[in-house]
Amino acid sequence: MTTTFTLNGRPVALACEPGESLKTLLRRAGIVSLRNGCDGEGSCGLCALLLDGKLVNSCLILALEADGREVVTIDYYNKDATLRTIQRALIDTSCVQCGYCTPAVALSVRELLARSPEPSDAEVADALSGTLCRCTGYKQYFEAVRLAARRLSEPGYAPPLGPEFRPDLRHVGKDREKVDAETLSRGERAFVEDRVTGDACVLKVLGSPYAHAWIASIDTAEAEAMPGVVAVLTHKNTPERVYTTAGQGFPEPSPYDQRMFPRKMRHVGDRVAAVLAETPEIAAAALAAIKVTYEVLPPVLSIAQAKANEAPVIHSGEVSYVAGSPPVGTDTRGDGRDDPVVYQFPLHSDPHRNLAASASGGIGDMEAGFAAADIVIERSYKTNRVQCTPMEPHVVFAKIEAGRLVLHASTQVPWHVRRIVARAVGISENKVRVIKERVGGGFGAKQDIVVEDIAGYLAWTTRRPVYFRYTREEEFIASRTRHTMEIKVKLGARHDGKLTAILMNLDADTGPYGQHCLTVPMNAISKSLPLLLCDNARFEVKSYYTNLSPAGAYQGYGAPKGSFALQTALAEMACALGMDQLDFLEKNRVRSGSRIDILKSLGEGREGAAVTLGKCGLGDMMARGRQAFGWDQPKPPAPGSDWKIGCGAVIIQQGSGLPGLDAANAEVRLLSDGTLLMLSGGADLGTGLDTVTAKAAAENLGLDLTDVTVISGDTDITPFDKGAYASSGTYFSGNAALKAAEDLRRRVFEAAAPILGEAPEDLHIEYKGMVVGKKGKISLAELGHRSVQGEGHGELSGFGSFKTDHSAFPYGAHFVQVAVNERTGEVKVQRYHAYQDCGTPINPALATGQVYGAILKAIGHSLYEEMLYDGEGRCLNPRFLDYKIPTIAEVPPDFRVELMPVEDEIGPFGAKSVSEISVNGAAPAISIAIHDAVGAWVREWPFSPERVLHALGRL
Amino acid sequence: MPKKRPAGSIRPRAFCNRIYWRALGAGAARTGAAEASRIRAAPAPEDDCMVKAYFRPKTAGEALELLSNEDGAVLLAGGTWLLTSQFAWCPMTAIAITDLLPKGIERHGDRIIIGAGATFQAIADSALLPAALREAALSMADRNIRNRATIGGNIGADKSCSSLLPFLLVAEARYSRAQAPALTAAEWQTASPAEKGLIAGIEFELPASRRFAVGRYSRTSCDVAVLTCAVSAELSDGSGASHGRPALRGLRIAMGGLSPHARRFPELESLFEGRPLADKAVIEAAAAPLFAPVDDVRGSAAFKRLRAAALLADVLFSLEASL
């Protein structure tokens, strides 16, 4: 049948099915800007378009309903000056991060400005109420709308410049257009789903309905016989080798405990089978035709259950140790039925007791430390499972080209994908190419190899192109979540406020497989304990298998949990001492020149090293926050008699990559017209890493950003990079790019010197792209042209490699004010101020936006985000309808970020990491503020109204 | 092929979730064949498999006839509930009535008439409507949904978390129906699926002597309502007042989230009728035992009971302030 309507100003008549949504129809017609984040639930707003001028979700409109109507998508920008103005405003205010939601945002603003040319903030929030964004924290959208509105009446309007840094540099420390912002704001093809060819087959996975079960029998004959079914995979016809899906450097500090298709199901959604078929409908029908019987086992659904004597054993296969050794008294023999577990890395594990990993360490004398204390407190904290919810779920497009496996991936770790997929498929790495496309949100979930292994295997074995995209439900139950943690903190302190001893005992729930089972819990310690100076400090970490959803990396890694426990405990100690919380922190925090001895015990799998801290801006940030936030001022009146106001503050830290472990590389080429091609291994997740590397090149060679094109994250074209995790992007990948640019500049001077008749050391670069000596000058264009001629010196290319043993710690101080309703338990975040050090902010507004985004994610897990399970291990809320993430309405009314640069001596242009750290502050700050308001400690996140009422003794 | 379901019943996909699903009240009676253009085709793409056939009738009569005759027939207005993926696995025959439904909002003295096709946004924007109804419409915080969801569809879905039903219940609204007599909101709720028919308009009286207040609790702004509340009472004439607080007369209370559908609570009305309000704590202590919510992902029954009582107290106090 046909539906006829006006699409972006042109009449169209399109064939459609009765049940086809307008979204699906338009995407088929090539309008890829309509994105899918909720699988037609109508929750995410990413498929929004204007229907007769009204913003609506196109997934909730039948294509036939559009008949006779006017439809406008972002693609109309060519003809719509208002849309172009809005797009430019979004770009200029650094609102375009991953870009997955940007088209929807632009259309929302378009509708708003049509009816309200000078909208209030409340109107802006209402206009964007239906659009989910996980990257930006929404805050800068208000500024973008104001800018767009102003420019519509004053087309040449240039807003005042934001804060700038490093006046000695042209681009670094200044806001410049993100290199991919234009493409993303136009909704152009940029993501994996945009690369899928028309002949692609669709992969669907049959997930286990049980949390813990053997596959007793599986019959795929009927499915395999269906026309259009290309292949069916089960444990019977896939490799038996085990591997880890953790995207970490080899040897990975995660057990090899996963098989492509296991015989034992270890969580609801675990892989039973997969079907590759020519259409999604055939794949779905084939899945339904697979007959499976299960031998159901009792599930392990909590840390307590995992630890219990006689607990069901989740990994009962043979255990072997390439590195490390089994605990004394452990039986490593398998049951003869389950898949083996192999340790490439000493994890101090005992999988037959559900212990995936453990570690301990410390400094000083704990007994003496507690004995010296005037007050000792011991508290327990719990953090529940939350999900990253990138708006673009896990997705991959795999195909064979020239006899090689090519993966178009939405990944943070292209090289780890290559290595792990090659291993899983059983081929050498030179047969695999990974191309990282634009990523619609990563946040850690895409650090792991979640979909690429089976897609790659199927593409390799069938030689057909394979498209595999997770549903939102699969994203919840079968990608990666935060680890649940139960943390006991024991503190000793003297009456004068000096800490005498700190003990942290941490149990983590890693889920059914052990990816990140050591490193996340260790990170909870390593990014919280070193904030404090205490001669006696000890930690013990244990990570347990359970049959809940797989845990992995999520922004902040372990630090949000460790920070929550330790910072809240510190506040409880301050209360016990009768001290102001900030004064107590001030007395015990690290400062410039501090020697951080606890780091000796915090090396992962190897001896750590104490660090003498260079410049530390923590004191300045605390002082600034104290003054600007009004910490010592009387609290404002509460919004009603049921409400109480409270304030909390925390200090936080993160790292900047993994010193001694990670490495990054880059190459930059001078083209024959004097422009540059930057080949960066780094993985830009929307975070702006490509812009960082472009700036490194432009700054060094005296060019504009538009003179630099960045190609990144392609394992064939760009050199190795460890990937985007552990806050390494700017520090490692950016530094590699900087070294490459410096190397190119050196080579430029060497090539220019004989031409100019001068010594290389007498040459320098001037804007724009001019090599200048004492006697003459030559442009980079001229040099580039000459270099590739017959008499030239060969293409000029610089190469940079970066690794370091230096630890660069960004620090922060976060302040929050909440209102708590004593009758209902509701908590409102009224004010949130973040004072954040990232060294030199290379892209200030973008860095600020990432801080906002991280904080809002943390507010989400502090107040309402929680994955819930029933007694059989089934997730009860695996979709946006039931699992709520913050919308623009949840932005605190007073929400501020102030970057306070403290340059790092090694970081590129003095930079450190910026966005991951910001997710560490909200939970402890809010829990402290709740206590300040109503006198009750809520020691389990999220601090739902129900939990607050429990803490108040009302439930 | 999916099993044929009872007429008028729609079950959303059941995997892994306890989802509130409601029988779509808007029709199951089956009469003769329809003449409207009929569109049947091969299964639709992945996300969109629920609608197997589509009709766009030209008259209400035609729509009702289709509703009676077609398997799995549902009346489709805004589609913000029926077309969500909750129903992705439930084959439907969509009878599109958006073009048929009146959309206007009128006021004739004290009488308000709202076309069943009026969207939530139109209701929120209408200066003709009482503030409480506009607030209830705005409580559906997602503007994309408000631009499309209709008051008729909200009534038809008859969900416990309905944003508008509590107000309509305390307004004692009447629903005009195509080719059938009007029903009050309460009568319509209790009518069988076959009797519900096609709502064309919603009418209620808004005398100057009557006041309304609404309230809602949800976890975040765009969450479905965990609890809703609407109350209404007559303007006080001063009799029965105590300590400056007016007596509540003609009190009407409706709440959602505490039963399968939003409903009036005569048991609560009788508790507070004719008396001034006590303190909130007293109200809560009296009301809470009358609630029987269920545990779900949005809260335990114990929490919801406490929270519902607090919501009621707050809304009653809002009402009192306007009297």
Side-chain angles (χ1 to χ4, degrees):
Chain A
M1 295 297 129
T2 304
T3 181
T4 304
F5 52 92
T6 305
L7 175 62
N8 295 329
R10 294 180 300 111
V12 297
L14 297 170
C16 67
E17 302 294 337
E20 189 167 12
S21 70
L22 187 55
K23 178 195 81 180
T24 302
L25 176 72
L26 290 175
R27 282 195 60 87
R28 268 201 303 114
I31 306 289
V32 300
S33 60
L34 302 175
R35 300 293 176 190
N36 173 18
C38 66
D39 301 325
E41 193 178 79
S43 304
C44 71
L46 303 188
C47 64
L49 45 73
L50 297 176
L51 182 69
D52 292 340
K54 300 278 189 221
L55 189 77
V56 293
N57 295 334
S58 59
C59 65
L60 297 183
I61 297 175
L62 295 177
L64 290 165
E65 295 279 278
D67 197 77
R69 308 291 191 92
E70 183 184 8
V71 174
V72 169
T73 70
I74 195 71
D75 312 76
Y76 194 46
Y77 67 87
N78 273 334
K79 301 192 183 83
D80 186 328
T82 302
L83 258 182
R84 286 200 300 280
T85 302
I86 293 166
Q87 287 165 319
R88 175 49 46 187
L90 289 169
I91 294 169
D92 289 348
T93 51
S94 296
C95 287
V96 183
Q97 289 196 30
C98 84
Y100 208 63
C101 71
T102 302
V105 170
L107 287 175
S108 304
V109 177
R110 179 70 179 84
E111 192 218 34
L112 169 65
L113 294 178
R115 56 184 160 81
S116 183
E118 292 181 19
S120 63
D121 281 359
E123 288 178 298
V124 173
D126 180 64
L128 290 170
S129 56
T131 306
L132 291 181
C133 172
R134 210 49 163 153
C135 296
T136 67
Y138 307 101
K139 173 72 178 175
Q140 290 162 317
Y141 287 138
F142 296 97
E143 187 187 339
V145 174
R146 280 192 288 273
L147 180 60
R150 183 84 181 257
R151 282 180 174 164
L152 286 173
S153 57
E154 299 173 41
Y157 175 70
L161 294 173
E164 295 194 333
F165 305 84
R166 292 295 300 271
D168 58 312
L169 299 173
R170 177 176 293 274
H171 303 296
V172 169
K174 326 291 178 295
D175 290 325
R176 296 282 184 265
E177 179 173 326
K178 191 162 164 278
V179 299
D180 56 355
E182 183 87 37
T183 297
L184 294 171
S185 72
R186 289 180 177 158
E188 292 175 0
R189 293 178 185 275
F191 297 92
V192 170
E193 64 206 30
D194 305 329
R195 308 301 185 203
V196 180
T197 52
D199 62 341
C201 298
V202 172
L203 191 166
K204 284 188 180 291
V205 168
L206 179 65
S208 170
Y210 298 106
H212 199 195
W214 290 104
I215 295 176
S217 70
I218 184 164
D219 179 356
T220 59
E222 186 183 339
E224 289 176 59
M226 285 183 171
V229 170
V230 176
V232 179
L233 298 182
T234 70
H235 66 273
K236 293 181 181 176
N237 60 350
T238 50
E240 292 187 7
R241 69 180 72 87
V242 291
Y243 50 96
T244 180
T245 57
Q248 300 169 306
F250 179 84
E252 300 91 341
S254 298
Y256 284 22
D257 57 5
Q258 286 186 257
R259 206 183 125 177
M260 193 179 290
F261 285 87
R263 281 196 55 231
K264 190 182 199 186
M265 300 292 101
R266 283 177 250 270
H267 68 99
V268 174
D270 207 349
R271 295 173 182 173
V272 175
V275 168
L276 185 68
E278 290 171 350
T279 71
E281 296 75 33
I282 297 172
L287 278 188
I290 296 174
K291 300 176 185 55
V292 190
T293 62
Y294 299 92
E295 179 187 326
V296 182
L297 303 168
V300 175
L301 301 179
S302 68
I303 293 171
Q305 288 179 12
K307 288 202 277 196
N309 290 333
E310 310 300 322
V313 176
I314 295 170
H315 286 272
S316 47
E318 181 182 343
V319 186
S320 60
Y321 295 81
V322 174
S325 50
V328 173
T330 288
D331 185 354
T332 59
R333 291 173 299 177
D335 61 0
R337 201 177 172 191
D338 199 1
D339 299 313
V341 179
V342 179
Y343 288 95
Q344 303 281 355
F345 196 93
L347 296 180
H348 305 289
S349 56
D350 190 357
H352 293 168
R353 292 200 182 97
N354 295 325
L355 183 66
S358 66
S360 62
I363 54 173
D365 182 339
M366 298 305 292
E367 199 175 322
F370 284 116
D374 295 315
I375 296 182
V376 175
I377 65 169
E378 195 164 354
R379 300 286 186 268
S380 296
Y381 303 89
K382 184 168 184 228
T383 67
N384 286 303
R385 226 176 203 83
V386 294
Q387 219 277 328
C388 316
T389 69
M391 286 300 109
E392 179 204 37
H394 280 76
V395 61
V396 65
F397 175 50
K399 61 186 180 184
I400 302 298
E401 269 182 7
R404 299 170 74 218
L405 175 62
V406 177
L407 299 169
H408 294 267
S410 179
T411 180
Q412 297 174 216
V413 290
W415 278 266
H416 297 331
V417 170
R418 185 177 71 180
R419 183 184 76 255
I420 291 173
V421 169
R423 179 186 164 84
V425 175
I427 56 180
S428 52
E429 285 190 43
N430 67 315
K431 295 284 195 290
V432 181
R433 177 183 182 186
V434 179
I435 303 169
K436 181 203 74 69
E437 303 291 352
R438 291 296 105 179
V439 177
F443 317 124
K446 294 177 182 172
Q447 186 183 342
D448 283 2
I449 285 69
V450 171
V451 295
E452 295 84 356
D453 52 345
I454 48 172
Y457 183 79
L458 274 167
W460 185 257
T461 53
T462 67
R463 310 316 260 190
R464 301 281 290 269
V466 174
Y467 178 50
F468 184 23
R469 188 181 200 267
Y470 258 10
T471 64
R472 179 57 57 185
E473 188 166 350
E474 286 171 323
E475 190 66 28
F476 271 99
I477 67 172
S479 70
R480 297 294 179 262
T481 71
R482 273 205 196 286
H483 291 66
T484 295
M485 288 190 188
E486 295 167 7
I487 307 175
K488 290 189 176 59
V489 180
K490 184 176 177 183
L491 300 177
R494 297 196 303 255
H495 283 312
D496 66 356
K498 190 76 188 91
L499 283 167
T500 61
I502 307 173
L503 175 63
M504 290 179 77
N505 282 332
L506 186 156
D507 286 341
D509 165 2
T510 193
Y513 299 104
Q515 57 278 344
H516 308 273
C517 61
L518 174 69
T519 46
V520 165
M522 280 294 287
N523 183 267
I525 307 294
S526 68
K527 299 300 182 289
S528 55
L529 260 187
L531 276 163
L532 305 165
L533 291 173
C534 183
D535 293 333
N536 310 296
R538 183 151 191 87
F539 63 90
E540 188 167 332
V541 160
K542 291 196 170 113
S543 194
Y544 291 91
Y545 288 113
T546 69
N547 294 120
L548 295 174
S549 305
Y554 179 1
Q555 189 172 3
Y557 216 47
K561 287 87 83 173
S563 177
F564 167 54
L566 185 54
Q567 290 289 316
T568 308
L570 290 169
E572 296 205 49
M573 176 57 89
C575 271
L577 289 169
M579 270 186 85
D580 176 271
Q581 189 211 343
L582 277 185
D583 292 341
F584 182 61
L585 288 174
E586 182 63 36
K587 196 154 184 91
N588 291 287
R589 65 169 179 87
V590 292
R591 31 200 25 97
S592 301
S594 293
R595 183 172 165 82
I596 311 177
D597 285 316
I598 189 65
L599 289 173
K600 275 189 301 201
S601 348
L602 288 167
E604 288 168 1
R606 57 181 189 174
E607 181 82 11
V611 165
T612 299
L613 204 54
K615 278 186 282 187
C616 172
L618 202 43
D620 292 336
M621 284 180 270
M622 291 172 68
R624 169 72 183 140
R626 186 167 198 154
Q627 181 266 321
F629 187 78
W631 179 260
D632 299 301
Q633 302 304 312
K635 295 194 181 68
S641 57
D642 297 329
W643 296 85
K644 293 285 192 301
I645 304 294
C647 294
V650 295
I651 53 175
I652 54 177
Q653 71 155 102
Q654 197 71 22
S656 299
L658 300 173
L661 282 172
D662 285 336
N665 298 274
E667 180 184 342
V668 61
R669 296 182 192 158
L670 178 65
L671 305 184
S672 61
D673 64 349
T675 59
L676 302 177
L677 193 64
M678 166 63 76
L679 305 176
S680 165
D684 188 330
L685 314 179
T687 44
L689 181 56
D690 287 351
T691 309
V692 168
T693 58
K695 282 193 176 183
E699 199 72 67
N700 258 278
L701 280 302
L703 294 169
D704 290 327
L705 277 189
T706 49
D707 298 317
V708 185
T709 290
V710 179
I711 310 277
S712 63
D714 184 326
T715 60
D716 269 14
I717 297 174
T718 61
F720 176 89
D721 189 287
K722 72 280 154 305
Y725 57 90
S727 302
S728 60
T730 295
Y731 205 77
F732 276 73
S733 309
N735 249 331
L738 178 58
K739 284 181 174 298
E742 289 169 347
D743 187 45
L744 175 61
R745 191 173 64 189
R746 180 181 60 77
R747 292 172 191 273
V748 159
F749 292 159
E750 285 173 3
I755 296 171
L756 296 174
E758 303 201 42
E761 56 269 23
D762 291 336
L763 302 177
H764 65 278
I765 300 268
E766 284 183 11
Y767 181 83
K768 176 177 170 182
M770 199 63 68
V771 181
V772 179
K774 292 178 179 171
K775 294 181 268 187
K777 58 186 178 183
I778 183 170
S779 68
L780 286 176
E782 174 73 19
L783 204 55
H785 168 72
R786 285 197 190 201
S787 68
V788 298
Q789 302 309 304
E791 68 276 14
H793 30 66
E795 186 177 48
L796 288 171
S797 182
F799 191 83
S801 181
F802 181 77
K803 57 182 174 58
T804 183
D805 288 327
H806 172 78
S807 297
F809 301 121
Y811 289 99
H814 288 196
F815 294 74
V816 70
Q817 175 185 303
V818 302
V820 183
N821 190 307
E822 291 184 297
R823 285 172 57 237
T824 67
E826 191 182 351
V827 177
K828 289 186 185 172
V829 178
Q830 296 181 315
R831 305 168 64 210
Y832 198 112
H833 290 195
Y835 300 92
Q836 206 61 52
D837 153 39
C838 60
T840 301
I842 299 197
N843 305 304
L846 193 55
T848 301
Q850 287 179 30
V851 176
Y852 282 128
I855 292 170
L856 204 60
K857 286 197 276 291
I859 289 177
H861 71 231
S862 301
L863 293 180
Y864 33 81
E865 289 187 43
E866 183 177 1
M867 291 177 72
L868 300 170
Y869 295 86
D870 68 10
E872 303 301 320
R874 284 184 290 260
C875 181
L876 296 170
N877 56 346
R879 52 193 190 139
F880 287 135
L881 186 68
D882 298 320
Y883 181 99
K884 306 311 296 183
I885 67 174
T887 68
I888 194 169
E890 276 70 53
V891 172
D894 179 359
F895 193 18
R896 286 185 221 179
V897 170
E898 190 171 315
L899 299 178
M900 298 179 65
V902 178
E903 284 188 19
D904 183 77
E905 54 267 43
I906 306 291
F909 308 104
K912 290 183 273 192
S913 70
V914 65
S915 71
E916 189 166 23
I917 177 179
S918 307
V919 80
N920 298 344
I926 292 173
S927 78
I928 295 165
I930 291 172
H931 174 265
D932 187 51
V934 295
W937 292 104
V938 188
R939 300 188 181 99
E940 179 176 354
W941 89 28
F943 318 129
S944 62
E946 191 155 353
R947 288 204 173 100
V948 172
L949 289 172
H950 272 294
L952 286 169
R954 296 201 60 216
L955 263 184
Chain B
M1 291 295 289
K3 291 180 186 174
K4 183 174 172 179
R5 298 207 171 275
S9 79
I10 304 293
R11 180 183 289 275
R13 54 191 275 194
F15 175 66
C16 208
N17 296 284
R18 285 183 285 158
I19 303 166
Y20 241 154
W21 65 271
R22 287 290 131 227
L24 180 67
R30 296 180 173 278
T31 57
E35 292 181 4
S37 62
R38 189 186 193 97
I39 300 167
R40 286 193 190 281
E46 193 173 16
D47 280 352
D48 315 319
C49 60
M50 74 286 277
V51 174
K52 299 301 181 188
Y54 177 89
F55 295 84
R56 188 181 270 180
K58 293 183 177 52
T59 66
E62 206 175 314
L64 287 169
E65 199 170 341
L66 287 165
L67 195 61
S68 299
N69 293 340
E70 295 294 323
D71 280 351
V74 295
L75 296 173
L76 179 66
T80 56
W81 184 58
L82 274 181
L83 296 183
T84 67
S85 53
Q86 291 180 75
F87 299 97
W89 304 104
C90 181
M92 286 185 243
T93 295
I95 302 166
I97 56 172
T98 307
D99 295 340
L100 299 180
L101 292 177
K103 296 175 180 58
I105 298 172
E106 301 166 22
R107 182 163 187 161
H108 305 280
D110 288 345
R111 189 160 150 254
I112 302 283
I113 303 171
I114 306 173
T119 64
F120 272 58
Q121 191 57 51
I123 291 169
D125 288 339
S126 174
L128 297 176
L129 296 176
L133 180 56
R134 296 169 65 184
E135 183 182 333
L138 279 172
S139 73
M140 181 180 284
D142 183 334
R143 191 181 181 103
N144 301 25
I145 301 296
R146 288 204 310 267
N147 275 342
R148 190 81 184 148
T150 63
I151 183 170
N154 197 250
I155 294 169
D158 196 19
K159 292 184 286 180
S160 187
C161 62
S162 164
S163 304
L164 303 180
L165 275 178
F167 178 91
L168 297 176
L169 286 167
V170 299
E172 294 187 342
R174 294 177 66 80
Y175 304 151
S176 60
R177 300 185 295 159
Q179 301 183 356
L183 293 176
T184 66
E187 288 169 341
W188 188 89
Q189 274 191 313
T190 55
S192 69
E195 293 166 343
K196 286 187 187 297
L198 193 166
I199 297 173
I202 297 91
E203 301 178 22
F204 57 90
E205 296 294 318
L206 196 66
S209 60
R210 181 158 281 279
R211 296 288 187 267
F212 296 85
V214 296
R216 177 187 200 260
Y217 164 64
S218 61
R219 295 173 299 168
T220 62
S221 63
C222 282
D223 196 7
V224 299
V226 182
L227 299 160
T228 54
C229 179
V231 300
S232 177
E234 292 287 333
L235 197 63
S236 171
D237 63 2
S239 62
S242 173
H243 301 291
R245 308 188 82 154
L248 301 178
R249 301 209 185 278
L251 181 63
R252 301 170 191 164
I253 298 174
M255 297 187 74
L258 298 165
S259 50
H261 308 279
R263 69 171 179 92
R264 287 277 293 269
F265 274 77
E267 61 271 47
L268 286 175
E269 292 165 358
S270 62
L271 271 184
F272 303 113
E273 173 67 31
R275 304 186 189 87
L277 286 179
D279 290 343
K280 285 184 180 179
V282 175
I283 295 173
E284 291 166 17
L290 300 177
F291 299 138
V294 298
D295 294 329
D296 66 18
V297 297
R298 289 176 174 76
S300 69
F303 166 70
K304 286 189 198 175
R305 189 175 300 113
L306 183 153
R307 189 65 183 86
L311 178 66
L312 174 66
D314 289 339
V315 177
L316 283 170
F317 266 61
S318 293
L319 177 73
E320 181 196 63
S322 68
L323 291 175

